[in-house]
Amino acid sequence: MAWYDEDSFLTRGLGPYLSTILITALIAFTLPVFLHFFIFRAKTPTSLPTFLVIGPSGSGKTSLVTLFEKGAPSPTHLSQSPLSVRVSLPSTTKAASSKYRSENDPTLKLEKPLLLVDTPGHGKLRHFGLEHLNATPNLKGIIYVVDAASIPSSSTGSSSESGLADAAEYLHDILLVLQKRYTTAKSSKGPKDVPVLIAANKLDLFTALPAPLLKTSLEKEISRVRETRAKGLLTAGSGDADADDRGWLGEGGESKFEFRQMEEVNVPVQVVGGNVLGSEGPDVDKWWDWIGSKL
Ligand SMILES: Nc1nc2c(ncn2[C@@H]2O[C@H](COP(=O)(O)OP(=O)(O)OP(=O)(O)O)[C@@H](O)[C@H]2O)c(=O)[nH]1
Ligand SMILES: [Mg+2]
């Protein structure tokens, strides 16, 4: 039987027959339903949006996480292991995904849960934090908490330079891991954004460095760390094997390191001031706003 015959499959499939109409209608109505379930399933992430809270010891990470969880800070001890805490976005903060919703939309009133992972900041326990950088599913961002009161402003000299050096070194290592994630990615588009919030904490204290000054101090110090690492002076204690393939953070050449350079590798960095304790100072609302803008 040829394809143009009266009884062939093709002629029946295109002709005005009841069976053809029924089959076509069935496909037309069920296909969108199947498609919907397929796409909906594929897009629903299996874990909550997660933010990693990381930074030097004593910067106030645990205080921040408890404040976000309970609404009030409580006394803390030195953290020894990472801790995941489920918190929800306050109703006053709008998530970026709800930007176009009307004020009266009832879905705005629904709880928006997220996970905060508190990591220990002690020098010997930092591997916990660094390991989490690549192993966290649905990572939406990194909150790098710095004790702004432990960092001297450049005009007052080097009273406690170690606070700055420590904060810059740890941040340098984190940014380097994130940069490597981009440079070793297989796809040409690169991995998705991992925004970093540098939370300048303890701004309630009189001696604390304001956020813009902290930014320039950190940039300057990271440039220095980068150079020292390149000379191989700081590799002691980190094992010589991985010292070679450590790499250079940011743009090459003589130029100074700036956080802006990290945008090239899908890591936008923002420095925002705040304080967990004390009634003076700018509070934590701006940090919530930042979290909301990444959801
Ligand atoms: N004045 C002031 N003190 C703060 C603030 N935030 C935290 N602190 C104090 O800083 C100290 C250290 O806070 P933690 O939250 O334990 O620090 P951490 O970053 O978790 O430290 P590790 O667990 O060792 O990594 C505590 O005594 C807090 O009370 C703040 O905004 N202002
Ligand atoms: Mg802690």
Side-chain angles (χ1 to χ4, degrees), residues 17-295:
Y17 301 98
L18 187 63
S19 55
T20 310
I21 293 169
L22 283 180
I23 291 171
T24 312
L26 194 72
I27 292 176
F29 285 115
T30 52
L31 193 66
V33 177
F34 273 114
L35 220 57
H36 168 81
F37 278 112
F38 176 72
I39 293 172
F40 190 68
R41 275 267 181 86
K43 275 218 164 159
T44 311
T46 46
S47 53
L48 291 173
T50 307
F51 290 85
L52 207 56
V53 183
I54 206 164
S57 188
S59 56
K61 297 178 294 297
T62 311
S63 311
L64 174 72
V65 170
T66 24
L67 173 66
F68 278 6
E69 183 193 11
K70 303 195 180 120
S74 56
T76 56
H77 306 284
L78 187 126
S79 308
Q80 306 217 9
S81 56
L83 184 71
S84 295
V85 179
R86 186 182 189 275
V87 302
S88 43
L89 202 67
S91 52
T92 45
T93 310
K94 228 177 174 183
S97 56
S98 311
K99 198 166 44 174
Y100 300 111
R101 284 189 199 280
S102 139
E103 289 292 321
N104 305 317
D105 191 333
T107 50
L108 274 186
K109 303 249 166 12
L110 290 180
E111 192 201 14
K112 269 230 172 335
L114 53 113
L115 272 189
L116 290 178
V117 182
D118 179 22
T119 59
H122 188 275
K124 287 188 177 162
L125 302 168
R126 289 189 180 167
H127 60 96
F128 282 122
L130 292 170
E131 279 160 13
H132 266 84
L133 284 177
N134 281 325
T136 309
N138 203 8
L139 181 67
K140 290 285 180 194
I142 289 162
I143 304 175
Y144 187 80
V145 186
V146 186
D147 176 356
S150 77
I151 291 175
S153 64
S154 42
S155 54
T156 57
S158 55
S159 51
S160 65
E161 209 70 67
S162 65
L164 177 62
D166 189 37
E169 255 173 58
Y170 196 13
L171 184 57
H172 171 274
D173 292 350
I174 292 166
L175 293 178
L176 200 58
V177 171
L178 294 176
Q179 176 179 291
K180 204 164 266 175
R181 199 186 60 108
Y182 181 87
T183 47
T184 56
K186 303 264 178 336
S187 72
S188 58
K189 220 173 107 222
K192 73 179 174 35
D193 277 23
V194 178
V196 175
L197 170 73
I198 298 179
N201 192 22
K202 307 200 188 179
L203 288 195
D204 57 311
L205 299 177
F206 171 68
T207 50
L209 201 63
L213 286 182
L214 176 72
K215 182 171 176 238
T216 42
S217 293
L218 278 176
E219 283 176 340
K220 220 184 266 170
E221 190 65 20
I222 287 179
S223 305
R224 211 184 56 75
V225 170
R226 198 169 64 161
E227 239 142 69
T228 336
R229 286 276 164 89
K231 283 186 200 136
L233 293 177
L234 269 176
T235 50
S238 60
D240 277 334
D242 56 33
D244 294 337
D245 55 36
R246 266 222 164 114
W248 177 263
L249 186 69
E251 281 169 12
E254 293 293 293
S255 67
K256 220 176 104 240
F257 174 78
E258 281 173 45
F259 289 129
R260 204 171 33 78
Q261 295 166 6
M262 295 306 294
E263 279 166 26
E264 293 273 310
V265 293
N266 286 1
V267 180
V269 182
Q270 217 175 325
V271 187
V272 180
N275 60 297
V276 177
L277 302 181
S279 49
E280 310 252 314
D283 231 307
V284 293
D285 294 346
K286 289 227 182 87
W287 297 340
W288 267 131
D289 290 342
W290 181 87
I291 291 177
S293 72
K294 308 299 170 211
L295 284 178

